[in-house]
Amino acid sequence: MIEFIKNDRALILRYKANRFTGDAHWIDNKIKNEGSVTLRKTFTFRKEDTLDTQPINSDQNIELEAEDDDTRDFTLGTKHKGYYKIKKEILDLKYDLLIDTNLPIDQGFFIANRDISIFRKIDEQAKDQIIIGNENENAIPTADFFQLIKTFPTTTELNHYANSRIQRVLKDYLGTISDAQKKLESYLSKKKITPRPKTNQLREYELKKFEFIRDELKSMLSEPDSYSERNWQDAIVEFLLIIFPKYVSVLNNLKISDYYSSPNRTTNRYIDITLVDCNGNIDIIEIKKPFSNCLLSTRKYRDNYTPKSELSGSVMQTEKYIFHLNKWGRAGELEITKSRKSELPKDLEVRITNPKGIIILGRDNEFTHEQKFDFEIIRRKYGNIMDIMTYDDLLRRLENIISMILQKS
C-alpha cells in the first residue's frame, strides 16, 4: 500500500509491503537493475528520488521510519511558493505538476479505479502546465478539481459504459431498437394509413415524431459514453434535420480555403459539419458531447461567471470558419457546389450569404439562477452570428413543440 506524508520541506510517498507483495526489496532490485520502479501504474521513481535513513520532521507528526524490509520512502514533491512541485518524470507528464500545499492528499488524489492515473488523463487533454488550487490565475480551482475526481467512473460504471457501448455498436448490426423506437413502431402498427389523411391525422404523426426524438435524446443523454464522438454527432444531426426542416443537406468534413493564417500560402481547413438549407445557404454546426461543467467557470471573476475554454474555444472556432467562408466568397460557392454536387439536391447551388453558426454543447440543468443569467448574456452577445444551445435547450424546444401540437389537437 502507499500513503502520503507532508513535512516542512516535501511531500513524501511511503510504500509499505504486505503479505501479498512480500518485503520491499523488490523495489531496490528494480531500481538497481532497470533504473526506476513504477508503483500503482502511476508513480515512477529513480534512485535520486529515494529517501535515506535520516529522520525528517513531519507536519502530520509522523516520523519517517528508517529503511527496513517492509517500507520505502520517496520524495514525491518539494515545496515551492505555496505548492508541492512534482517532477514531470514521476507522473509521466509534459510539465512539472503544482499542487497547493494546503490540500488534503491521499491515494484518490492521484489514482482512479483500475489504477488509472488521474493527472496523466488530464495531461492528455491539457496543453499547459497543470496547477491545482492556490492563487495562480491559471490554476484549476480546488472545488473543480475535486468535482473532476468524483466524475472518474467506478468499476461498476466502467463495466456499464463498456456494455452500453457494445450494445450501441451491435444495434447497427443486429437490428435491436431502443424504447423510443419501440413506442413509435407500436403506434405506427396500430394506425391505418388512409389515402387522403386529414390535417389532424398529419398533426398526430408530427406529435409522435417529436415525442420519439425527445425520448431518444433523453436516452442518449443518460449514457453519452456509449457513443463515439462521430456517432454522437451523426445522431444529433439527424434530429436537427427534423427539428429544423429548412436544412436539406449535410456536408461532412467540408474543405475550405484559409488565405490569412499563413501569409505566403493558402491553407486548407476542414469543417466537421455544415448544413445547407433549401435555398442553398450554408451554415456551420459544432456538436460536442455533453461533458459536465464545460460551460461556465465555478469561480467568479469580478462577480461574473465567465465561459470555460470548451465554450469559448467552440465559439472562436466557429467564428473563424465563418470568417474564412465569407472571405472565400463566390469562388468558394462554386468550389463547394462542384465538389459536393452528389450530396446536394439537383440543380441546387451553394450560397455563402452571411453564414450562421450553431453550437450544441453541455448541460444547464444544474445552473443556479445567476449562472443562467450570465450564460444568457454570453449567448446574446453572439446572437447575431450564432445560436449557442445546450442539450437541455434542445429538450425544452422539443417539449414546446410537443405542447403546441397538443394544444391544436
Side-chain angles (χ1 to χ4, degrees), residues 205-222:
Y205 282 113
E206 283 287 290
L207 175 63
K208 293 302 175 183
K209 177 178 70 176
F210 287 111
E211 285 179 339
F212 163 72
I213 296 173
R214 177 200 59 192
D215 294 343
E216 192 76 350
L217 180 57
K218 284 183 177 179
S219 175
M220 290 173 62
L221 290 171
S222 71

Side-chain angles (χ1 to χ4, degrees), residues 126-252:
K127 296 181 180 178
D128 302 314
Q129 183 181 32
I130 302 170
I131 305 172
I132 308 298
N134 216 318
E135 298 301 322
N136 191 304
E137 63 179 11
N138 297 318
I140 300 174
T142 300
D144 284 358
F145 177 71
F146 283 113
Q147 180 61 39
L148 173 65
I149 291 178
K150 288 181 181 179
T151 63
F152 271 77
T154 64
T155 299
T156 300
E157 288 173 325
L158 288 169
N159 290 333
H160 171 70
Y161 293 151
N163 290 337
S164 297
R165 187 66 177 271
I166 291 168
Q167 290 171 3
R168 184 62 55 185
V169 173
L170 290 179
K171 175 182 173 182
D172 295 333
Y173 298 98
L174 301 183
T176 56
I177 59 177
S178 66
D179 289 339
Q181 287 173 305
K182 288 177 183 177
K183 288 168 64 176
L184 184 61
E185 296 257 348
S186 174
Y187 169 78
L188 293 175
S189 66
K190 295 175 183 177
K191 300 296 292 184
K192 294 182 179 179
I193 301 175
T194 58
R196 300 177 65 182
K198 297 179 181 179
T199 304
N200 285 343
Q201 289 175 312
L202 289 175
R203 190 174 292 121
E204 192 173 350
Y205 282 113
E206 283 287 290
L207 175 63
K208 293 302 175 183
K209 177 178 70 176
F210 287 111
E211 285 179 339
F212 163 72
I213 296 173
R214 177 200 59 192
D215 294 343
E216 192 76 350
L217 180 57
K218 284 183 177 179
S219 175
M220 290 173 62
L221 290 171
S222 71
E223 49 176 21
D225 293 299
S226 65
Y227 293 80
S228 67
E229 187 81 21
R230 182 75 257 177
N231 288 341
W232 181 272
Q233 290 175 340
D234 290 343
I236 297 299
V237 165
E238 285 188 24
F239 296 158
L240 293 178
L241 293 178
I242 297 174
I243 299 171
F244 306 110
K246 71 172 186 174
Y247 293 111
V248 295
S249 290
V250 180
L251 306 180
N252 292 309

Side-chain angles (χ1 to χ4, degrees), residues 254-366:
L254 179 67
K255 183 175 75 172
I256 63 173
S257 294
D258 169 6
Y259 301 103
Y260 293 87
S261 297
S262 301
N264 300 320
R265 63 185 177 88
T266 302
T267 304
N268 291 327
R269 303 291 179 194
Y270 294 86
I271 307 175
D272 286 344
I273 306 170
T274 49
L275 302 176
V276 182
D277 71 16
C278 55
N279 294 317
N281 298 303
I282 193 168
D283 290 325
I284 297 166
I285 183 163
E286 281 278 315
I287 299 174
K288 304 292 186 181
K289 288 181 69 177
F291 300 113
S292 61
N293 300 319
C294 69
L295 298 174
L296 298 178
S297 61
T298 56
R299 186 168 58 184
K300 291 183 179 180
Y301 175 75
R302 295 188 176 181
D303 206 34
N304 299 300
Y305 290 103
T306 56
K308 279 195 170 182
S309 57
E310 179 81 8
L311 174 55
S312 57
S314 296
V315 168
M316 187 63 187
Q317 185 70 45
T318 303
E319 283 191 294
K320 273 193 173 182
Y321 286 149
I322 291 173
F323 173 85
H324 293 313
L325 275 173
N326 283 325
K327 292 298 182 180
W328 205 10
R330 181 58 180 164
E333 293 177 342
L334 296 174
E335 175 64 27
I336 295 171
T337 301
K338 179 181 178 181
S339 63
R340 296 302 186 102
K341 185 177 181 179
S342 63
E343 300 171 64
L344 298 170
K346 186 179 180 181
D347 298 327
L348 185 70
E349 182 178 316
V350 168
R351 299 177 183 275
I352 302 175
T353 312
N354 292 326
K356 284 204 68 170
I358 301 173
I359 300 176
I360 304 176
L361 77 171
R363 305 291 304 270
D364 63 28
N365 55 323
E366 296 183 355

